[in-house]
Amino acid sequence: MERMSAGRGESVKNLLRGLRQGAVNGILLVAAGNAALLIAKALTWLVVPRILGVVEYGYYKTFTLYLVYVMLLHFGFPDGILLIYGGQNYGRINQMEFRINTRFFTVFQIIVSAFIIGISLCLCQGMRCFIFCMIGLDGLFVNLATYYKFISQAVMRFKEYTLRNVMQAVMQIGVVVIIIFLKKLDILEPNGAFYILCIVLIDAILLVWYMKTYSDITFGRVGSVKRQFSKIKKIFMKGILLTISFQVAHLVFFLDSQMVEMLFDVETYSLYAFAYSIANMITVVVSAIATVMFPSLKRLKTEDAVSKFPALMATISVIVFFLLASYFPLSAFIRWFLPDYAAALDYLQIIMPGLALTSCINMIIFTYYKVLNRLKQYLYIALAMLLTGGILNGAGYILFREPIAFSIASIMTLLIWYICSAAYLFQNFHMKWVKNFAYVFLEMMIFYTLDRVLDGGWKSMFTYFFSFMAVTIFIYKRDIGYLLNRFRK
């Protein structure tokens, strides 16, 4: 593997060369849908907690916490579709084979869903029984929708992907408006169970829409599943490693939240989960790059894909730290509009800077491990980080018995994870990462220092923003200079 060529603005030049091949259009399309989804999520993340109250909101966040684990129960089938068909044209795929895939996966997920609901009815009681039954039902809708979503991503049909994000946003806003309207008329007192039902209904509608859009690979004549069993097995085998890697990574990312949910009461978990909901606004903004990146990079030669790594890492990091300035007005808004959740700011101020680490690992590094067919190595690293996170979280709980110890432990785990996963790529593919890590670490220290010394407010925001600009220009001045020269021409 050849080393990336050095020189003024070379990584940015390589990235722009790739973007001119069509990826930029996909990023813009997905970003438009994500922007609409962000508006809806911002509304739900800021208004729904006020409507439901701390306890009922805690029930809803418990539902969302465990729903992610149900994605493991598709056992890699959608991931295998993405890996095998990523970068291909939809018109060239075998529709008969895909109809068999769709029919098989639908029946398979119905069985899984029935099993979860049955276990929930037998082992759980009260609100927890309702939550896990809804998880079983919604898991069916979400996993089938994921199958279609990954087909859209694999064949780069980003208009459909974007349209569904927009409609999902519209429906989420509509649900909030209806709940407020019913409450004003004293028809319904909002609670977690009703809101969970609304979310499940939205997911069901989106699935039906996907099935209609892809009717040619959903309905119609199908062949024998037995004859295609070897190909179905190949899809599972190809995708299961990606699914396990994703789920282990998810456990690492949300290990602190899981520990809080298990060790503290629902009110405490509600506050902790609220902090993560606010932080996730930033990841929604930058996730468009990750969605488009895999099929785009897979179409490139290995050396061309590798050459874009430093610029992609820099781009994600700069965007995240730019958006981090929103923490200061957000914290003031929460104290005014959601005083019952003000205590969540103690967690938010710790986890927010870690979003740069999370984004780089989850959106860039993980994508490169997929493109370079190094998922087994990524899984080993993720398992090591899960053990590391467990030790750090356990030590924090023993020493302090406070949820904030888990927030600190999560940041320490992310730092170690970034170093280990990026160091492997450098060792095997000479992908440079130290410069970006230095930038991320320095920006994190600036945020923590200003938030502690200046104690929030507008003064902190402006000071942080100017510090961010100064550090960004200092570290990436060559790349910025190259971009400015391009725009002048």
Side-chain angles (χ1 to χ4, degrees):
M1 181 65 59
E2 297 180 358
R3 290 181 175 272
M4 291 179 296
S5 56
R8 184 178 297 270
E10 189 64 28
S11 59
V12 173
K13 187 188 300 183
N14 289 330
L15 178 61
L16 291 177
R17 188 182 299 120
L19 291 179
R20 282 196 293 268
Q21 297 174 359
V24 66
N25 293 329
I27 291 175
L28 291 176
L29 274 173
V30 177
N34 284 1
L37 197 58
L38 176 62
I39 295 173
K41 288 185 178 295
L43 179 65
T44 57
W45 287 335
L46 294 174
V47 177
V48 170
R50 182 183 177 99
I51 296 174
L52 296 183
V54 175
V55 175
E56 295 295 328
Y57 181 71
Y59 290 139
Y60 164 65
K61 293 306 294 183
T62 301
F63 166 78
T64 60
L65 174 68
Y66 287 100
L67 181 62
V68 178
Y69 296 121
V70 177
M71 293 178 65
L72 179 62
L73 300 181
H74 60 53
F75 296 100
F77 197 81
D79 292 311
I81 293 291
L82 177 62
L83 290 174
I84 293 173
Y85 295 95
Q88 295 190 20
N89 293 321
Y90 183 72
R92 295 182 179 178
I93 65 174
N94 189 315
Q95 292 186 0
M96 175 67 77
E97 288 186 1
F98 261 85
R99 279 197 291 271
I100 296 175
N101 293 337
T102 304
R103 192 72 54 87
F104 165 82
F105 188 60
T106 301
V107 173
F108 176 61
Q109 286 302 299
I110 289 174
I111 295 172
V112 170
S113 176
F115 178 78
I116 295 173
I117 293 173
I119 292 294
S120 301
L121 291 172
C122 293
L123 300 181
C124 301
Q125 295 180 347
M127 187 62 182
R128 204 162 184 85
C129 178
F130 172 80
I131 288 173
F132 281 96
C133 284
M134 289 299 101
I135 287 172
L137 180 61
D138 201 33
L140 171 65
F141 302 145
V142 170
N143 281 345
L144 288 177
T146 299
Y147 166 75
Y148 290 109
K149 184 187 298 183
F150 279 16
I151 291 174
S152 292
Q153 186 178 345
V155 300
M156 303 185 73
R157 292 177 65 166
F158 296 117
K159 289 183 179 179
E160 297 168 0
Y161 186 94
T162 299
L163 184 58
R164 275 151 186 79
N165 277 348
V166 172
M167 291 309 300
Q168 182 181 357
V170 170
M171 286 188 288
Q172 287 181 348
I173 293 173
V175 165
V176 174
V177 171
I178 291 172
I179 290 176
I180 294 174
F181 182 73
L182 293 177
K183 183 178 181 180
K184 290 288 186 182
L185 296 178
D186 292 326
I187 298 175
L188 173 72
E189 184 62 32
N191 56 62
F194 180 77
Y195 189 65
I196 289 171
L197 282 172
C198 292
I199 297 301
V200 173
L201 178 61
I202 289 174
D203 290 335
I205 293 172
L206 290 173
L207 172 60
V208 171
W209 192 0
Y210 262 125
M211 295 175 73
K212 186 177 184 300
T213 300
Y214 288 98
S215 60
D216 51 351
I217 62 171
T218 302
F219 308 106
R221 187 172 62 88
V222 296
S224 172
V225 174
K226 290 183 180 180
R227 292 182 180 178
Q228 197 169 313
F229 183 76
S230 60
K231 292 185 178 180
I232 292 175
K233 181 181 177 181
K234 179 182 178 181
I235 295 172
F236 273 116
M237 296 301 294
K238 190 76 173 178
I240 188 62
L241 190 60
L242 176 56
T243 299
I244 295 174
S245 299
F246 173 83
Q247 288 296 338
V248 172
H250 171 80
L251 278 173
V252 179
F253 287 132
F254 292 98
L255 183 60
D256 53 332
S257 295
Q258 186 68 71
M259 297 283 281
V260 174
E261 196 276 334
M262 295 173 59
L263 297 173
F264 294 89
D265 55 40
V266 67
E267 291 90 345
T268 302
Y269 173 68
S270 179
L271 294 172
Y272 201 88
F274 174 77
Y276 265 100
S277 293
I278 298 300
N280 285 338
M281 289 184 186
I282 290 178
T283 60
V284 171
V285 175
V286 298
S287 62
I289 297 176
T291 301
V292 177
M293 193 187 315
F294 175 72
S296 299
L297 290 175
K298 195 173 180 181
R299 289 184 172 186
L300 302 177
K301 295 181 179 179
T302 300
E303 56 268 23
D304 292 334
V306 166
S307 69
K308 292 169 176 53
F309 179 78
L312 287 168
M313 292 283 278
T315 300
I316 287 289
S317 302
V318 170
I319 292 174
V320 170
F321 282 114
F322 171 77
L323 295 173
L324 206 62
S326 63
Y327 162 81
F328 301 100
L330 267 176
S331 61
F333 177 82
I334 290 169
R335 289 189 181 95
W336 166 71
F337 187 71
L338 297 166
D340 292 341
Y341 294 84
L345 295 175
D346 294 336
Y347 314 128
L348 187 62
Q349 65 184 356
I350 295 174
I351 64 178
M352 279 283 271
L355 291 176
L357 297 168
T358 302
S359 298
C360 285
I361 295 170
N362 196 36
M363 299 180 187
I364 307 298
I365 294 176
F366 186 33
T367 298
Y368 269 88
Y369 274 83
K370 289 191 291 183
V371 170
L372 299 171
N373 197 25
R374 292 294 189 274
L375 283 174
K376 185 180 294 185
Q377 288 75 14
Y378 182 86
L379 177 59
Y380 292 154
I381 295 172
L383 287 170
M385 293 307 104
L386 182 60
L387 177 62
T388 302
I391 294 172
L392 292 175
N393 278 277
Y397 180 72
I398 293 172
L399 292 174
F400 301 104
R401 304 278 175 169
E402 293 289 339
I404 200 168
F406 298 136
S407 301
I408 297 171
S410 71
I411 296 298
M412 295 172 64
T413 304
L414 289 173
L415 285 167
I416 298 171
W417 194 0
Y418 182 110
I419 293 171
C420 292
S421 57
Y424 174 85
L425 293 177
F426 175 77
Q427 182 180 3
N428 291 273
F429 298 96
H430 309 295
M431 299 165 73
K432 297 179 181 178
W433 63 277
V434 175
K435 181 179 179 179
N436 181 255
F437 179 77
Y439 172 77
V440 169
F441 186 79
L442 183 57
E443 290 284 8
M444 289 176 65
M445 292 303 103
I446 289 174
F447 179 91
Y448 288 136
T449 301
L450 291 177
D451 186 61
R452 180 64 60 183
V453 173
L454 299 181
D455 196 28
W458 293 104
K459 185 177 181 180
S460 297
M461 186 185 75
F462 286 117
T463 305
Y464 167 79
F465 184 76
F466 287 120
S467 300
F468 154 77
M469 292 294 294
V471 172
T472 302
I473 292 172
F474 176 74
I475 293 182
Y476 291 115
K477 56 186 176 183
R478 291 184 176 181
D479 296 329
I480 294 173
Y482 175 81
L483 287 174
L484 292 176
N485 289 334
R486 292 287 300 175
F487 285 130
R488 290 195 191 107
K489 293 180 180 180

